[in-house]
Structures are given as C-alpha cells and as structure tokens.
Short mmCIF file of all heavy atoms in Angstrom, two decimals:
data_model
loop_
_atom_site.label_atom_id
_atom_site.label_comp_id
_atom_site.label_asym_id
_atom_site.label_seq_id
_atom_site.Cartn_x
_atom_site.Cartn_y
_atom_site.Cartn_z
N LEU P 93 0.83 -1.21 0.00
CA LEU P 93 0.00 0.00 0.00
C LEU P 93 0.86 1.26 0.00
O LEU P 93 0.61 2.19 -0.77
CB LEU P 93 -0.95 0.01 1.20
CG LEU P 93 -2.06 -1.04 1.18
CD1 LEU P 93 -2.76 -1.11 2.53
CD2 LEU P 93 -3.06 -0.77 0.07
N ILE P 94 1.88 1.28 0.84
CA ILE P 94 2.77 2.45 0.91
C ILE P 94 3.49 2.66 -0.41
O ILE P 94 3.58 3.78 -0.90
CB ILE P 94 3.79 2.30 2.08
CG1 ILE P 94 3.08 2.40 3.42
CG2 ILE P 94 4.91 3.33 1.97
CD1 ILE P 94 2.59 3.78 3.80
N VAL P 95 4.01 1.60 -0.98
CA VAL P 95 4.71 1.72 -2.27
C VAL P 95 3.75 2.25 -3.34
O VAL P 95 4.10 3.12 -4.14
CB VAL P 95 5.34 0.37 -2.68
CG1 VAL P 95 5.81 0.39 -4.12
CG2 VAL P 95 6.50 0.03 -1.73
N ASP P 96 2.51 1.78 -3.31
CA ASP P 96 1.52 2.21 -4.30
C ASP P 96 1.16 3.69 -4.16
O ASP P 96 1.00 4.39 -5.15
CB ASP P 96 0.25 1.36 -4.19
CG ASP P 96 -0.62 1.41 -5.43
OD1 ASP P 96 -0.23 2.05 -6.43
OD2 ASP P 96 -1.69 0.80 -5.42
N ILE P 97 1.06 4.18 -2.92
CA ILE P 97 0.67 5.58 -2.75
C ILE P 97 1.84 6.55 -2.83
O ILE P 97 1.63 7.75 -2.98
CB ILE P 97 -0.09 5.83 -1.42
CG1 ILE P 97 0.80 5.60 -0.22
CG2 ILE P 97 -1.35 5.02 -1.36
CD1 ILE P 97 0.16 5.99 1.10
N SER P 98 3.06 6.06 -2.76
CA SER P 98 4.21 6.96 -2.70
C SER P 98 4.30 7.89 -3.90
O SER P 98 4.75 9.02 -3.78
CB SER P 98 5.51 6.17 -2.53
OG SER P 98 5.75 5.37 -3.66
N GLY P 99 3.83 7.44 -5.06
CA GLY P 99 3.90 8.28 -6.25
C GLY P 99 2.77 9.29 -6.37
O GLY P 99 2.89 10.24 -7.15
N ASN P 100 1.70 9.11 -5.64
CA ASN P 100 0.56 10.05 -5.74
C ASN P 100 -0.01 10.39 -4.36
O ASN P 100 -1.21 10.39 -4.16
CB ASN P 100 -0.51 9.48 -6.66
CG ASN P 100 -1.06 8.15 -6.18
OD1 ASN P 100 -0.51 7.53 -5.29
ND2 ASN P 100 -2.15 7.72 -6.76
N LEU P 101 0.88 10.71 -3.44
CA LEU P 101 0.49 10.99 -2.06
C LEU P 101 -0.47 12.17 -1.96
O LEU P 101 -1.44 12.13 -1.20
CB LEU P 101 1.73 11.22 -1.20
CG LEU P 101 1.49 11.42 0.29
CD1 LEU P 101 0.72 10.24 0.89
CD2 LEU P 101 2.82 11.61 1.01
N LYS P 102 -0.23 13.21 -2.73
CA LYS P 102 -1.09 14.40 -2.67
C LYS P 102 -2.54 14.04 -3.02
O LYS P 102 -3.48 14.45 -2.34
CB LYS P 102 -0.56 15.48 -3.60
CG LYS P 102 -1.29 16.79 -3.49
CD LYS P 102 -0.65 17.85 -4.35
CE LYS P 102 -1.38 19.17 -4.19
NZ LYS P 102 -0.76 20.23 -4.98
N GLU P 103 -2.71 13.24 -4.05
CA GLU P 103 -4.05 12.80 -4.47
C GLU P 103 -4.72 11.97 -3.37
O GLU P 103 -5.90 12.14 -3.08
CB GLU P 103 -3.94 11.98 -5.76
CG GLU P 103 -5.24 11.40 -6.24
CD GLU P 103 -5.03 10.45 -7.42
OE1 GLU P 103 -4.20 10.77 -8.30
OE2 GLU P 103 -5.68 9.40 -7.45
N VAL P 104 -3.96 11.08 -2.75
CA VAL P 104 -4.51 10.24 -1.70
C VAL P 104 -4.89 11.09 -0.48
O VAL P 104 -5.94 10.89 0.12
CB VAL P 104 -3.53 9.11 -1.32
CG1 VAL P 104 -4.05 8.30 -0.16
CG2 VAL P 104 -3.27 8.20 -2.52
N LEU P 105 -4.05 12.06 -0.13
CA LEU P 105 -4.36 12.96 0.98
C LEU P 105 -5.68 13.69 0.74
O LEU P 105 -6.48 13.86 1.66
CB LEU P 105 -3.24 13.97 1.19
CG LEU P 105 -2.11 13.55 2.11
CD1 LEU P 105 -0.92 14.48 1.98
CD2 LEU P 105 -2.56 13.48 3.54
N GLN P 106 -5.91 14.10 -0.48
CA GLN P 106 -7.16 14.80 -0.80
C GLN P 106 -8.37 13.89 -0.65
O GLN P 106 -9.43 14.33 -0.25
CB GLN P 106 -7.10 15.37 -2.22
CG GLN P 106 -6.14 16.54 -2.35
CD GLN P 106 -5.94 16.98 -3.79
OE1 GLN P 106 -6.23 16.26 -4.73
NE2 GLN P 106 -5.43 18.18 -3.95
N LYS P 107 -8.21 12.62 -0.93
CA LYS P 107 -9.31 11.66 -0.78
C LYS P 107 -9.66 11.43 0.69
O LYS P 107 -10.81 11.15 1.02
CB LYS P 107 -8.96 10.32 -1.43
CG LYS P 107 -8.97 10.35 -2.92
CD LYS P 107 -8.63 8.98 -3.47
CE LYS P 107 -8.59 8.98 -4.98
NZ LYS P 107 -8.22 7.67 -5.52
N VAL P 108 -8.67 11.53 1.56
CA VAL P 108 -8.90 11.29 2.98
C VAL P 108 -9.66 12.44 3.60
O VAL P 108 -10.63 12.25 4.32
CB VAL P 108 -7.57 11.03 3.73
CG1 VAL P 108 -7.81 10.97 5.23
CG2 VAL P 108 -6.93 9.76 3.23
N GLY P 109 -9.21 13.66 3.34
CA GLY P 109 -9.89 14.82 3.90
C GLY P 109 -9.55 15.04 5.35
O GLY P 109 -8.41 15.16 5.74
N ASN P 110 -10.56 15.04 6.20
CA ASN P 110 -10.40 15.37 7.62
C ASN P 110 -10.42 14.11 8.48
O ASN P 110 -10.72 13.02 8.00
CB ASN P 110 -11.49 16.35 8.03
CG ASN P 110 -12.88 15.76 7.82
OD1 ASN P 110 -13.15 14.63 8.23
ND2 ASN P 110 -13.75 16.50 7.18
N PRO P 111 -10.12 14.26 9.78
CA PRO P 111 -10.10 13.08 10.66
C PRO P 111 -11.41 12.29 10.70
O PRO P 111 -11.39 11.06 10.79
CB PRO P 111 -9.77 13.67 12.04
CG PRO P 111 -8.94 14.87 11.72
CD PRO P 111 -9.58 15.44 10.46
N GLN P 112 -12.57 12.96 10.60
CA GLN P 112 -13.84 12.22 10.62
C GLN P 112 -14.00 11.38 9.36
O GLN P 112 -14.44 10.23 9.42
CB GLN P 112 -15.03 13.17 10.78
CG GLN P 112 -16.37 12.44 10.90
CD GLN P 112 -16.41 11.44 12.05
OE1 GLN P 112 -16.03 11.76 13.17
NE2 GLN P 112 -16.85 10.22 11.79
N ALA P 113 -13.63 11.94 8.21
CA ALA P 113 -13.70 11.18 6.96
C ALA P 113 -12.74 9.99 7.03
O ALA P 113 -13.05 8.89 6.55
CB ALA P 113 -13.35 12.08 5.78
N ALA P 114 -11.58 10.20 7.65
CA ALA P 114 -10.61 9.12 7.81
C ALA P 114 -11.19 8.01 8.69
O ALA P 114 -11.04 6.83 8.39
CB ALA P 114 -9.31 9.66 8.41
N LYS P 115 -11.87 8.38 9.77
CA LYS P 115 -12.48 7.39 10.66
C LYS P 115 -13.54 6.59 9.91
O LYS P 115 -13.63 5.37 10.06
CB LYS P 115 -13.10 8.06 11.88
CG LYS P 115 -13.69 7.05 12.84
CD LYS P 115 -14.60 7.69 13.86
CE LYS P 115 -15.24 6.70 14.79
NZ LYS P 115 -15.95 5.59 14.14
N ASN P 116 -14.33 7.24 9.09
CA ASN P 116 -15.34 6.54 8.30
C ASN P 116 -14.69 5.51 7.37
O ASN P 116 -15.23 4.42 7.18
CB ASN P 116 -16.19 7.52 7.50
CG ASN P 116 -17.04 8.40 8.39
OD1 ASN P 116 -17.31 8.08 9.54
ND2 ASN P 116 -17.46 9.53 7.86
N LEU P 117 -13.56 5.86 6.81
CA LEU P 117 -12.83 4.95 5.93
C LEU P 117 -12.35 3.73 6.72
O LEU P 117 -12.47 2.59 6.26
CB LEU P 117 -11.63 5.66 5.30
CG LEU P 117 -10.75 4.78 4.43
CD1 LEU P 117 -11.49 4.35 3.17
CD2 LEU P 117 -9.47 5.49 4.09
N VAL P 118 -11.84 3.96 7.91
CA VAL P 118 -11.39 2.86 8.77
C VAL P 118 -12.56 1.91 9.02
O VAL P 118 -12.44 0.69 8.89
CB VAL P 118 -10.82 3.41 10.10
CG1 VAL P 118 -10.66 2.30 11.12
CG2 VAL P 118 -9.48 4.10 9.85
N ASP P 119 -13.71 2.46 9.35
CA ASP P 119 -14.89 1.64 9.62
C ASP P 119 -15.32 0.83 8.38
O ASP P 119 -15.68 -0.33 8.49
CB ASP P 119 -16.07 2.51 10.08
CG ASP P 119 -15.81 3.16 11.44
OD1 ASP P 119 -14.92 2.69 12.18
OD2 ASP P 119 -16.49 4.15 11.75
N ARG P 120 -15.25 1.43 7.21
CA ARG P 120 -15.68 0.77 5.96
C ARG P 120 -14.75 -0.36 5.53
O ARG P 120 -15.18 -1.31 4.88
CB ARG P 120 -15.72 1.80 4.82
CG ARG P 120 -17.01 2.51 4.65
CD ARG P 120 -17.14 3.21 3.29
NE ARG P 120 -15.93 3.50 2.58
CZ ARG P 120 -15.35 4.70 2.50
NH1 ARG P 120 -15.85 5.71 3.13
NH2 ARG P 120 -14.27 4.88 1.80
N THR P 121 -13.49 -0.25 5.83
CA THR P 121 -12.52 -1.21 5.30
C THR P 121 -12.35 -2.45 6.17
O THR P 121 -11.78 -3.45 5.70
CB THR P 121 -11.14 -0.55 5.11
OG1 THR P 121 -10.73 0.00 6.35
CG2 THR P 121 -11.19 0.52 4.04
N LYS P 122 -12.81 -2.42 7.38
CA LYS P 122 -12.64 -3.56 8.29
C LYS P 122 -13.20 -4.85 7.67
O LYS P 122 -12.54 -5.89 7.68
CB LYS P 122 -13.32 -3.25 9.61
CG LYS P 122 -13.24 -4.36 10.62
CD LYS P 122 -13.95 -3.91 11.91
CE LYS P 122 -14.04 -5.00 12.92
NZ LYS P 122 -14.71 -4.54 14.15
N GLY P 123 -14.39 -4.78 7.12
CA GLY P 123 -15.01 -5.96 6.52
C GLY P 123 -14.22 -6.50 5.33
O GLY P 123 -14.08 -7.71 5.17
N ILE P 124 -13.71 -5.60 4.52
CA ILE P 124 -12.90 -6.00 3.37
C ILE P 124 -11.67 -6.76 3.85
O ILE P 124 -11.35 -7.85 3.36
CB ILE P 124 -12.45 -4.77 2.54
CG1 ILE P 124 -13.66 -4.05 1.94
CG2 ILE P 124 -11.45 -5.17 1.46
CD1 ILE P 124 -13.33 -2.69 1.34
N LEU P 125 -11.00 -6.20 4.82
CA LEU P 125 -9.78 -6.82 5.33
C LEU P 125 -10.05 -8.19 5.95
O LEU P 125 -9.32 -9.14 5.68
CB LEU P 125 -9.11 -5.90 6.36
CG LEU P 125 -8.54 -4.60 5.81
CD1 LEU P 125 -8.21 -3.64 6.93
CD2 LEU P 125 -7.32 -4.88 4.94
N LYS P 126 -11.09 -8.28 6.76
CA LYS P 126 -11.39 -9.55 7.42
C LYS P 126 -11.82 -10.62 6.43
O LYS P 126 -11.57 -11.80 6.64
CB LYS P 126 -12.45 -9.34 8.51
CG LYS P 126 -11.87 -8.66 9.73
CD LYS P 126 -12.73 -8.85 10.94
CE LYS P 126 -11.95 -8.40 12.16
NZ LYS P 126 -12.50 -8.92 13.38
N ALA P 127 -12.44 -10.21 5.33
CA ALA P 127 -12.88 -11.17 4.32
C ALA P 127 -11.72 -11.70 3.48
O ALA P 127 -11.74 -12.84 3.03
CB ALA P 127 -13.93 -10.54 3.42
#
C-alpha cells in the first residue's frame, strides 16, 4: 500500500480529507480486510 501511494500521495491525501472522513474509511474497510 505504501509503495503504491508513494507516487501520488497528494491525491490520496485529498481523498482522505479530515479526521472524521478518515475514521469513516477505517470503519468501511474492516469488513474488506477480514474477508
């Protein structure tokens, strides 16, 4: 993941936004990871 984002970090940062949006992302990805 880090290697993949290293070339476009600015774009990825814009997708994250603020801490609340980041928390929502954490909540959404748990199921993907566990599956």
Side-chain angles (χ1 to χ4, degrees):
L93 292 169
I94 290 288
V95 168
D96 199 4
I97 66 173
S98 65
N100 60 348
L101 184 56
K102 187 175 181 179
E103 176 187 320
V104 176
L105 272 167
Q106 289 172 341
K107 287 181 182 178
V108 172
N110 59 49
Q112 184 57 48
K115 182 194 178 307
N116 293 339
L117 176 68
V118 167
D119 293 342
R120 271 196 339 258
T121 56
K122 179 179 174 179
I124 296 169
L125 292 167
K126 285 199 168 198

